[in-house]
Amino acid sequence: MSGLLGKKIGMTSIYDENGKNIPCTVIQAGPCIVTQVRTKDVDGYEAIQLGFEDKKEKHTTKAMKGHFDKADTTPKRFLAEFSRFEEKKKFGDVLTVDVFQEGEYVDVVGTSKGKGFQGVVKRYNFKGVNDATHGQHNRLRAPGSIGASSYPSRVFKGMRMAGRTGGKRVKLINLQVMKIIPENNVIVVKGAVPGPNNSLVKIERWS
Amino acid sequence: MGKNELIKLVEDSVAVKEFPKFKAGDTITVTYKIKEGSKERLQKFQGVVLQRVGTTPTETFTIRKISGNIGVERVFPLASPFIEEIVVNKEGVVRRARIFYFRDLRGKKARIKEKRQ
């Protein structure tokens, strides 16, 4: 695996060589710095920790500052671990968008937009009641039956009902990299990416 | 670097051809390429512009024509590489930027005053 942390900038569309209009998302990815290397001997597993986006020193606790000093870097806002990294990376190494190539496929992880408390029609794509007439009243977006009666005399665990929607970790797999602009640390992927603009996303490539 | 600048950077690669100015209410003819198998040919679509949406290079415009008593609308992206040419046939006088009321008008009512030159 290879990857980077980035920030969703927004969406636009470009044209491919066949003249097809392609919706795509602009992500500012990296530069990320290796802030820690997890090894089998010490931690029991192998991974590297990447830091992304500077933050002010006054917003950093002394403990975290010590952590960043070890890697000889400025305090970073976001830290994330990447397991099974392809290349062996050292403390303080800097990763840029060069780790990706145009045309290849990547996975993007983000936190979806929070929708608040939603009913089952929006949350689970239930159909609701398809009739507004034939005796229906107040039930257009109702879930319907949630189970049988005397047996089992309870509602099964995991029954899909209304509740908090969105704001969850979502991973989209196999998004094509349309374009890379190394000077500005910009990567453009085909299609949409979870989360609002300016939110943190994790870009991964499994090979 | 701000948000919009990065998006603009990506949009710079989209080439938008030079077209004459047109707005809602104008009658224009769009010549565009269509692919039939491996062959390419040109087709024309003439009608009234209903609206222009967005900013270049993601801008689109809608044209409406009456084809055999049936209204036909087409949306073109302004930056589409398939558009060959746009000709403004008539400049209309309308009071709004999006003339959706025009859809409900038929016959003699469905006329737009022409701009005096």
Side-chain angles (χ1 to χ4, degrees):
Chain A
M1 179 184 141
S2 196
L4 273 186
L5 293 174
K7 203 171 166 186
K8 175 173 167 179
I9 300 296
M11 290 191 73
T12 181
S13 65
I14 55 174
Y15 291 88
D16 70 0
E17 63 275 10
N18 297 322
K20 223 176 153 192
N21 190 319
I22 295 169
C24 48
T25 310
V26 181
I27 301 170
Q28 187 180 22
C32 293
I33 194 155
V34 180
T35 46
Q36 196 173 23
V37 181
R38 303 270 192 198
T39 57
K40 200 126 207 178
D41 305 337
V42 183
D43 309 288
Y45 64 100
E46 291 208 351
I48 64 162
Q49 188 189 61
L50 293 184
F52 171 63
E53 203 170 61
D54 284 343
K55 69 171 173 180
K56 280 187 181 161
E57 214 169 300
K58 68 174 180 185
H59 295 143
T60 316
T61 61
K62 275 188 183 155
M64 284 312 285
K65 198 167 174 310
H67 182 70
F68 292 118
D69 280 346
K70 258 195 219 169
D72 200 14
T73 169
T74 51
K76 301 289 176 198
R77 194 176 308 272
F78 303 113
L79 294 174
E81 270 187 19
F82 289 73
S83 59
R84 288 189 275 161
F85 222 74
E86 268 164 31
E87 313 93 17
K88 284 277 166 289
K89 291 289 176 192
K90 295 195 306 290
F91 238 163
D93 278 357
V94 176
L95 281 87
T96 58
V97 277
D98 306 336
V99 294
F100 302 113
Q101 274 138 36
E102 281 180 26
E104 69 181 3
Y105 290 87
V106 293
D107 300 347
V108 178
V109 185
T111 308
S112 61
K113 282 183 187 173
K115 311 276 184 211
F117 193 100
Q118 295 294 334
V120 288
V121 173
K122 190 177 188 82
R123 195 175 186 205
Y124 294 113
N125 298 327
F126 281 23
K127 282 277 163 59
V129 179
N130 283 328
D131 280 325
T133 55
H134 294 299
Q136 300 300 337
H137 165 66
N138 278 351
R139 311 198 36 85
L140 261 177
R141 298 172 71 88
S145 165
I146 56 168
S149 179
S150 57
Y151 181 80
S153 273
R154 64 190 173 92
V155 174
F156 289 124
K157 272 189 177 173
M159 180 62 60
R160 292 175 298 170
M161 293 190 193
R164 284 274 181 100
T165 309
K168 286 230 168 76
R169 180 192 149 103
V170 176
K171 182 190 221 171
L172 287 183
I173 60 169
N174 291 337
L175 302 181
Q176 197 176 11
V177 178
M178 301 310 295
K179 201 175 189 161
I180 287 170
I181 309 173
E183 307 88 68
N184 297 297
N185 300 310
V186 163
I187 175 170
V188 182
V189 296
K190 187 173 173 179
V193 156
N197 289 348
N198 293 323
S199 63
L200 178 76
V201 291
K202 200 172 162 183
I203 312 168
E204 302 172 344
R205 183 195 58 210
W206 296 88
S207 46
Chain B
M1 222 180 193
K3 170 200 144 189
N4 284 329
E5 287 169 53
L6 287 179
I7 293 183
K8 262 184 207 147
L9 210 71
V10 176
E11 288 175 345
D12 275 348
S13 67
V14 180
V16 185
K17 289 179 200 157
E18 289 273 321
F19 294 122
K21 259 188 169 176
F22 63 92
K23 55 168 185 50
D26 294 353
T27 305
I28 64 171
T29 309
V30 180
T31 313
Y32 58 98
K33 278 185 270 187
I34 56 169
K35 268 187 186 155
E36 283 170 340
S38 57
K39 263 198 219 159
E40 252 184 23
R41 64 186 186 84
L42 294 175
Q43 201 167 60
K44 282 181 178 170
F45 193 99
Q46 187 181 39
V48 178
V49 180
L50 288 193
Q51 61 170 348
R52 292 180 70 149
V53 183
T55 50
T56 43
T58 51
E59 181 172 0
T60 61
F61 59 93
T62 309
I63 348 181
R64 178 184 171 86
K65 72 170 178 186
I66 305 287
S67 174
N69 223 6
I70 293 172
V72 181
E73 276 177 32
R74 246 196 104 127
V75 183
F76 290 98
L78 199 67
S80 168
F82 291 109
I83 296 185
E84 281 288 289
E85 195 189 14
I86 295 178
V87 177
V88 181
N89 307 109
K90 256 191 239 171
E91 273 186 76
V93 179
V94 288
R95 292 187 177 187
R96 41 219 77 227
R98 297 175 182 188
I99 51 166
F100 298 135
Y101 69 86
F102 192 68
R103 287 173 177 156
D104 302 327
L105 303 182
R106 287 284 137 85
K108 277 193 176 178
K109 282 230 167 90
R111 285 180 303 186
I112 289 175
K113 212 199 278 174
E114 203 172 333
K115 196 176 172 186
R116 279 208 204 136
Q117 297 301 332

